[in-house]
Amino acid sequence: MNNLQHPVSYITGMTTNRASLLLQELGVRTCNDFLHLFPFRYIDKTTFYKINQLQNSQAEVQVIGKITQIKTVKQQRGSRLVATFIDETGTMELVWFKGVKWIKDSLKINTPYVVYGKLNSYNNSFSIAHPEMELLTAHQKKIHSSMQPVYPSTETLTNKGFSNKVYRTLMQNLFVQINGRFEETLPNSLLQSEQLISKREAMLNIHFPKSQELLAKAHTRLKFEELFFIQLQLLRKKLIRQSKFKGFVFENVGTHFNNFYKEHLPFDLTNAQKRVLKEIRKDVASGVHMNRLLQGDVGSGKTIVALLSMLLAIDNGFQAALIAPTEILATQHYNALAEMVTPLGLSISLLTGSVKAKQRRIIHQQLEEGSLHILVGTHALLEDKVQFQNLGIAIIDEQHRFGVAQRSKMWQKGNVALKLPPHILVMTATPIPRTLAMSLYGDLDISVIDELPPGRKEVKTVHRYDSNRLAVFKFLKDEIAKGRQVYVVYPLIQESAAMDYKDLMDGYESISRDFPQPQYQISIVHGKMKPEDKEYEMQRFVKGETHIMVATTVIEVGVNVPNASVMVVESSERFGLSQLHQLRGRVGRGADQSFCILMTDFKLSDDAKIRLKTMVDTSDGFQIAEVDLKLRGPGNLMGTQQSGVVNLKIADLVKDTAILTKARNMAMAILQDDADLSKPENSLLKKTYTELQKRQGLWANIS
Ligand code: ADP
Ligand code: MG
């Protein structure tokens, strides 16, 4: 056994207490784990800043200057000490809240100091609170080590005396004990072609950087390594799936497909739709099981692609299923699809929680006999009782709303006799940035519809304050007078559901006052209503009987009312970007110019300002997703929490796109040449790969 697999107690100076703290707080068990706690920053005491070089982003800075003035400022409790600190380029402040009197007496005026501390900025002026101070003359007499690592910590660790100094000492001890024996994980050829430094050099310099330059190289090397092995695993998983999982072969492009394509297609497909369809056709004819993610912005026309894929299955003697996360959405899919497939002589049914037992039995029977071609439904479709005779393709809409367990149920509904899963097409209108898609779904095939149907007008988006409400209402009245319909949406956030409900009801009342009956008719839909009442209200709006739909975000997904041309989002600062984008997608579906009005209070956080500005500036879902990723980080994006792929130790999916792309390409090239990593030059890779696989166990085959 290599030293690094020893428990941390192996490290000189690691008491039992400290070891159990590390385990409890950071999950650190072995020396190797400890070594992979990378410093998240370095204290650089070799650089001095001039005051006019200071920037918001700098965390800790070191400045040489003089104090010109000291004053005590009374505040609510006690007082604070403020010193004016200058160098030849500018002025800043040093501030103390504690020990004011003692510090005041010890400070020397007009004497050069070296000050060091965390920089705060306020109204373009900078300050440091409780700086470390040293007279320049004293400072010059000492030897100064360069960058000191600062390690991640927790409150408990700090409180129990596990300080950064303790970390550093233990780390130093460990380095001495193992004497730099780090095993290389990447083959020499790769190190050379990518100009990466060795593992040993990288580990040494990440913990004890010799220079900024070597630190940067250490970062690159370790990030590459981390991303490379993730990609290697994902891509290999995909290879295994493709070689192991046979799929149904849809050999023929048959009568139904051709008949529909030639005679009944309601519009010409966009080039993007055609391309995606070609990708799907290639998959399902190949004999390999299809597991494809179809990304396409709201309104990009995913449904028709789904339908044509289903027709391919039916033409080859299979059944097809489409599952959606909500009853409203499933019903809408059912209506749209029924209209298109009934003229072809195909049978289609809807299965949701509210389908009566009698009708359910009929559906079950028709499915088992094979006389039902298409089943559309909600989660009800996943129940064990629902058995298909021969399910050839399953389409999952808004896949992020389904868990892995639910998706795996879908896999099991193929053909029992043949033991093959149906082809899977998952559709999402939540664009996932490329970098994230590569890490999250690297083992799925991805298709993208990146083009909207022609003639679609961009939704005009504006940001308005609550104080502009009268003008906004006037605008709504003008639109309604033109025959249009309007959505007014209120936030619904679980933790304060009661308050949100009150906001919604207050809003509804105020709208009822400003838009009086009988001239104006208003629908309201929210989560506390019975499904049949909800449906009734929805239908009134769909049929155009009501002018305004007041709702919570239940209407977020998929609802299609082409005549609705205005989306008003109340308290829009409380919505996330992807949610706002989804909401805006509810309008702009008809021929008229549509509008999205984002209402807010005056008080806005910086993030909220960026979100609103992004919405006003662009309607490109991918661009919006990129901003979202930057604001919230990958861990908070939909569906990423469970994946674990984004639990990165050092790489950053937002910033390290270039490294990620390289790592993926290298992994792909290596696997293309040596799928089993059995060639001698890949033995190092195989070793690490095998260890990683052992550690996390192979995930389920379901992505
Ligand atoms: P989404 O991708 O959001 O599911 P839909 O499939 O619901 O989008 O399509 C949105 C609207 O655009 C529908 O009314 C659909 O009939 C229409 N549509 C789809 N593709 C085209 C096209 N190629 N040309 C014109 N209209 C289209
Ligand atoms: Mg859709």
Side-chain angles (χ1 to χ4, degrees):
M1 186 169 86
N2 161 337
N3 288 348
L4 297 185
Q5 294 310 324
H6 284 316
V8 286
S9 53
Y10 170 84
I11 305 170
T12 311
M14 182 72 77
T15 59
T16 331
N17 242 339
R18 285 173 175 172
S20 66
L21 266 175
L22 272 181
L23 180 61
Q24 170 201 320
E25 289 295 301
L26 299 170
V28 166
R29 213 178 276 278
T30 64
C31 291
N32 199 45
D33 294 341
F34 190 64
L35 283 165
H36 283 84
L37 286 177
F38 296 129
F40 64 99
R41 61 188 181 86
Y42 301 83
I43 298 174
D44 178 0
K45 291 202 171 176
T46 56
T47 309
F48 294 93
Y49 288 90
K50 296 286 176 213
I51 292 178
N52 70 356
Q53 291 173 324
L54 298 177
Q55 276 170 16
N56 263 331
S57 58
Q58 286 158 342
E60 250 129 54
V61 294
Q62 189 171 237
V63 184
I64 300 174
K66 296 173 186 173
I67 294 172
T68 55
Q69 198 190 52
I70 306 175
K71 60 180 186 231
T72 311
V73 182
K74 282 261 171 279
Q75 46 187 40
Q76 261 180 353
R77 283 167 52 203
S79 56
R80 70 173 190 273
L81 189 66
V82 181
T84 309
F85 188 73
I86 65 158
D87 67 3
E88 67 279 13
T89 69
T91 304
M92 63 186 290
E93 285 184 342
L94 308 175
V95 188
W96 292 264
F97 303 95
K98 287 182 192 156
V100 168
K101 192 168 169 337
W102 178 80
I103 287 163
K104 191 177 178 185
D105 294 340
S106 68
L107 291 175
K108 293 196 167 76
I109 303 267
N110 284 326
T111 315
Y113 274 107
V114 178
V115 306
Y116 177 87
K118 194 167 176 309
L119 194 65
N120 298 311
S121 79
Y122 186 74
N123 278 347
N124 288 325
S125 73
F126 291 100
S127 66
I128 300 177
H130 289 266
E132 284 175 27
M133 311 260 316
E134 194 172 23
L135 286 172
L136 183 61
T137 47
H139 183 89
Q140 281 162 341
K141 284 184 197 138
K142 285 191 196 156
I143 302 164
H144 296 277
S145 66
S146 56
M147 288 166 281
Q148 286 186 0
V150 180
Y151 289 95
S153 190
T154 66
E155 225 180 302
T156 313
L157 282 174
T158 319
N159 288 344
K160 302 232 159 138
F162 207 114
S163 67
N164 198 52
K165 203 165 157 208
V166 171
Y167 256 109
R168 273 204 317 261
T169 310
L170 290 169
M171 198 63 86
Q172 258 157 0
N173 292 350
L174 178 57
F175 266 81
V176 172
Q177 283 172 277
I178 59 177
N179 194 16
R181 280 191 302 272
F182 286 100
E183 276 179 53
E184 186 52 71
T185 57
L186 297 172
N188 231 327
S189 54
L190 199 62
L191 294 182
Q192 260 157 28
S193 71
E194 301 302 310
Q195 300 189 317
L196 300 170
I197 60 175
S198 71
K199 175 93 177 186
R200 181 172 180 276
E201 216 179 338
M203 289 304 274
L204 192 63
N205 277 287
I206 194 99
H207 289 290
F208 309 104
K210 290 210 188 88
S211 67
Q212 288 282 0
E213 199 195 341
L214 274 169
L215 175 60
K217 283 191 174 159
H219 265 129
T220 307
R221 144 81 212 213
L222 294 168
K223 285 173 175 183
F224 182 91
E225 178 180 347
E226 180 169 48
L227 294 170
F228 174 82
F229 280 106
I230 290 175
Q231 289 302 322
L232 196 70
Q233 291 178 85
L234 284 169
L235 290 168
R236 223 180 99 76
K237 189 168 133 196
K238 183 160 149 184
L239 278 180
I240 292 171
R241 176 166 55 74
Q242 284 176 344
S243 60
K244 263 204 202 142
F245 287 90
K246 298 257 172 311
F248 298 125
V249 186
F250 300 168
E251 264 166 313
N252 309 313
V253 177
T255 37
H256 292 307
F257 185 96
N258 283 324
N259 181 13
F260 180 78
Y261 203 89
K262 294 198 183 104
E263 311 288 337
H264 298 278
L265 204 59
F267 34 70
D268 291 332
L269 295 186
T270 61
N271 286 327
Q273 285 170 322
K274 282 185 197 157
R275 188 188 62 236
V276 168
L277 198 62
K278 222 183 261 170
E279 289 165 353
I280 293 170
R281 269 169 66 170
K282 193 164 157 236
D283 281 358
V284 296
S286 71
V288 169
H289 176 250
M290 175 174 80
N291 192 15
R292 190 169 277 282
L293 172 71
L294 172 55
Q295 288 196 60
D297 219 333
V298 225
S300 62
K302 294 184 291 295
T303 315
I304 198 84
V305 172
L307 172 61
L308 284 161
S309 311
M310 293 198 275
L311 293 180
L312 282 176
I314 294 166
D315 275 340
N316 287 275
F318 292 93
Q319 294 166 297
L322 183 136
I323 175 167
T326 65
E327 182 146 3
I328 294 179
L329 195 54
T331 309
Q332 214 159 56
H333 272 309
Y334 170 76
N335 290 335
L337 292 174
E339 197 178 313
M340 292 191 275
V341 303
T342 315
L344 304 177
L346 297 178
S347 61
I348 178 168
S349 287
L350 174 67
L351 182 62
T352 67
S354 41
V355 169
K356 298 275 177 324
K358 191 167 150 228
Q359 169 67 6
R360 232 171 239 255
R361 270 198 299 277
I362 297 174
I363 291 177
H364 289 170
Q365 197 187 344
Q366 289 177 337
L367 274 182
E368 281 166 45
E369 291 167 3
S371 61
L372 186 57
H373 298 108
I374 300 175
L375 182 63
V376 178
T378 54
H379 299 82
L381 197 151
L382 297 173
E383 284 170 24
D384 291 335
K385 278 176 294 186
V386 182
Q387 287 296 334
F388 294 79
Q389 188 199 49
N390 207 3
L391 181 63
I393 188 166
I395 297 171
I396 307 177
D397 200 12
E398 300 299 338
Q399 56 90 24
H400 59 267
R401 301 224 168 181
F402 294 95
V404 172
Q406 289 167 325
R407 277 180 270 155
S408 81
K409 280 241 153 116
M410 212 66 242
W411 279 57
Q412 289 155 22
K413 291 204 184 292
N415 182 308
V416 185
L418 291 173
K419 290 216 171 91
L420 285 185
H423 290 300
I424 303 278
L425 180 67
V426 294
M427 308 199 292
T428 176
T430 308
I432 302 157
R434 242 182 86 75
T435 51
L436 195 57
M438 273 198 264
S439 302
L440 272 183
Y441 302 115
D443 62 323
L444 253 77
D445 292 303
I446 300 180
S447 292
V448 181
I449 304 185
D450 50 7
E451 181 187 355
L452 291 183
R456 197 77 47 87
K457 287 203 190 88
E458 201 162 297
V459 179
K460 277 197 185 140
T461 304
V462 294
H463 171 204
R464 292 284 178 267
Y465 294 105
D466 291 336
S467 52
N468 304 129
R469 187 169 297 280
L470 278 182
V472 171
F473 279 3
K474 167 82 172 57
F475 177 76
L476 300 185
K477 283 180 180 164
D478 291 346
E479 284 295 300
I480 292 169
K482 288 188 214 155
R484 308 284 117 77
Q485 290 165 282
V486 173
Y487 292 104
V488 182
V489 175
Y490 287 82
L492 181 67
I493 292 155
Q494 284 304 317
E495 300 94 71
S496 59
M499 228 172 77
D500 286 337
Y501 182 68
K502 186 174 175 302
D503 285 353
L504 174 77
M505 283 310 170
D506 289 351
Y508 175 68
E509 256 173 46
S510 110
I511 288 169
S512 307
R513 241 178 287 126
D514 280 278
F515 296 83
Q517 292 204 23
Q519 194 185 352
Y520 297 103
Q521 299 294 327
I522 305 173
S523 286
I524 179 164
V525 171
H526 58 79
K528 289 194 176 178
M529 288 163 77
K530 287 199 202 113
E532 55 266 34
D533 295 342
K534 238 192 264 186
E535 186 56 27
Y536 173 78
E537 287 287 318
M538 275 306 302
Q539 282 310 324
R540 290 212 305 149
F541 190 69
V542 172
K543 288 188 204 133
E545 292 168 12
T546 54
H547 304 104
I548 302 177
M549 161 64 78
V550 176
T552 52
T553 38
V554 285
I555 60 146
E556 183 189 334
V557 184
V559 175
N560 191 16
V561 182
N563 191 49
S565 67
V566 187
M567 167 63 65
V568 180
V569 185
E570 295 286 348
S571 305
S572 59
E573 75 277 8
R574 291 174 57 191
F575 289 84
L577 262 178
S578 70
Q579 240 183 340
L580 289 174
H581 182 60
Q582 291 280 331
L583 284 170
R584 179 166 60 182
R586 298 305 105 216
V587 296
R589 309 201 136 215
D592 311 305
Q593 175 62 55
S594 294
F595 303 88
C596 175
I597 305 176
L598 304 170
M599 304 294 297
T600 72
D601 201 333
F602 272 116
K603 252 195 272 163
L604 293 173
S605 69
D606 288 347
D607 273 13
K609 280 180 199 158
I610 296 174
R611 287 199 297 271
L612 294 164
K613 182 166 165 18
T614 306
M615 287 300 294
V616 171
D617 288 350
T618 182
S619 55
D620 178 340
F622 281 91
Q623 217 171 312
I624 290 172
E626 292 282 353
V627 177
D628 206 21
L629 179 63
K630 281 185 187 136
L631 286 179
R632 299 200 292 161
N636 290 314
L637 290 197
M638 244 176 248
T640 60
Q641 290 91 337
Q642 313 96 308
S643 77
V645 190
V646 289
N647 265 334
L648 298 174
K649 288 209 169 68
I650 185 161
D652 178 326
L653 289 179
V654 179
K655 295 184 191 135
D656 299 325
T657 326
I659 300 179
L660 173 59
T661 309
K662 255 195 198 169
R664 181 172 173 86
N665 289 342
M666 283 313 296
M668 193 126 58
I670 288 170
L671 287 173
Q672 259 158 14
D673 172 59
D674 181 15
D676 293 325
L677 301 174
S678 54
K679 292 192 179 174
E681 65 264 32
N682 291 329
S683 61
L684 271 184
L685 294 180
K686 175 118 193 176
K687 187 157 174 254
T688 309
Y689 172 86
T690 315
E691 268 167 28
L692 287 171
Q693 289 292 338
K694 248 191 285 169
R695 213 174 306 162
Q696 45 191 241
L698 248 179
W699 299 340
N701 289 303
I702 300 108
S703 284

